[in-house]
Amino acid sequence: MQTALADFIRETNEGREANAILRACVHCGFCTATCPTYLLLGDEQDGPRGRIYLIKEMLEGSEVSAATRLHLDRCLTCRSCETTCPSGVQYGRLVDIGRHVVDQRAPRSVAARAGRWLVREAFLSRGLFAFALGAGRLLRPVLPAKLRSLVTIKLKSGTERPL
Ligand code: SF4
Ligand code: SF4
């Protein structure tokens, strides 16, 4: 596809790499058939072809909105789309560049960044995760139903299951 990247990125390494990837895409849409988020949500912008367009527009200088970020956030980075692309488009690398640019041009709120940091730390730390699970079990009776269903209970056998 034709591209005209904006000044802020055109002459950078990321810009040159993204440009080459974008130009390899012929917009055929074969990739959408193997994208789990497109199959689930049925929205072009939640599939690889739509996201490629969003990234292209962003790198060409269009405004970066919360919607742009949401569609990129929803991508699982599973790269299933790459397996069905006849042009060898490196979507995974392109979405990495796109996310980096979104973070720079439309930073998340402090609360959103703190929440993401907390989730990342909790899942990477065995101790913190065990503490959160224990607290969740203690508070389970007063948790909202949606959260309650996520907290497992411990059985005498040592196994765990949701109530
Ligand atoms: S299959 Fe490849 S060339 Fe076709 S739209 Fe998807 S990424 Fe572009
Ligand atoms: S990486 Fe996975 S979720 Fe993201 S666009 Fe490709 S197939 Fe869809």
Side-chain angles (χ1 to χ4, degrees), residues 1-3 5 15 17-26 51-53 55-57 59-60 89 94:
M1 77 172 68
Q2 294 285 323
T3 56
L5 298 204
E17 191 177 4
N19 199 36
I21 298 170
L22 286 168
R23 282 174 174 260
C25 176
V26 294
R51 292 187 180 114
I52 287 171
Y53 243 119
I55 295 168
K56 173 185 184 305
E57 287 177 349
L59 300 184
E60 289 183 339
V89 171
L94 184 64

Side-chain angles (χ1 to χ4, degrees), residues 1 24-32 48-49 52 81 84-89 91:
M1 77 172 68
C25 176
V26 294
H27 215 58
C28 61
F30 287 163
C31 50
T32 56
R49 184 171 59 176
I52 287 171
C81 48
T84 44
C85 174
S87 303
V89 171
Y91 171 86

Side-chain angles (χ1 to χ4, degrees), residues 32-33 35-48 51:
T32 56
C35 172
T37 57
Y38 176 77
L39 296 177
L40 185 69
L41 300 169
D43 182 340
E44 172 75 13
Q45 294 190 318
D46 285 316
R51 292 187 180 114

Side-chain angles (χ1 to χ4, degrees), residues 56-73:
K56 173 185 184 305
E57 287 177 349
M58 182 170 65
L59 300 184
E60 289 183 339
S62 296
E63 190 183 340
V64 182
S65 67
T68 312
R69 186 167 51 218
L70 177 67
H71 292 302
L72 295 194
D73 278 352

Side-chain angles (χ1 to χ4, degrees), residues 4 19-20 29 37 46-47 49 62-63 74 81 93 96 100 109 111 117 134 137 152 154-156:
N19 199 36
T37 57
D46 285 316
R49 184 171 59 176
S62 296
E63 190 183 340
R74 283 178 177 164
C81 48
R93 180 61 193 135
D96 279 350
H100 185 219
S109 67
W117 177 84
R137 282 178 178 146
T152 58
K154 204 165 191 172
L155 303 176
K156 280 185 181 164

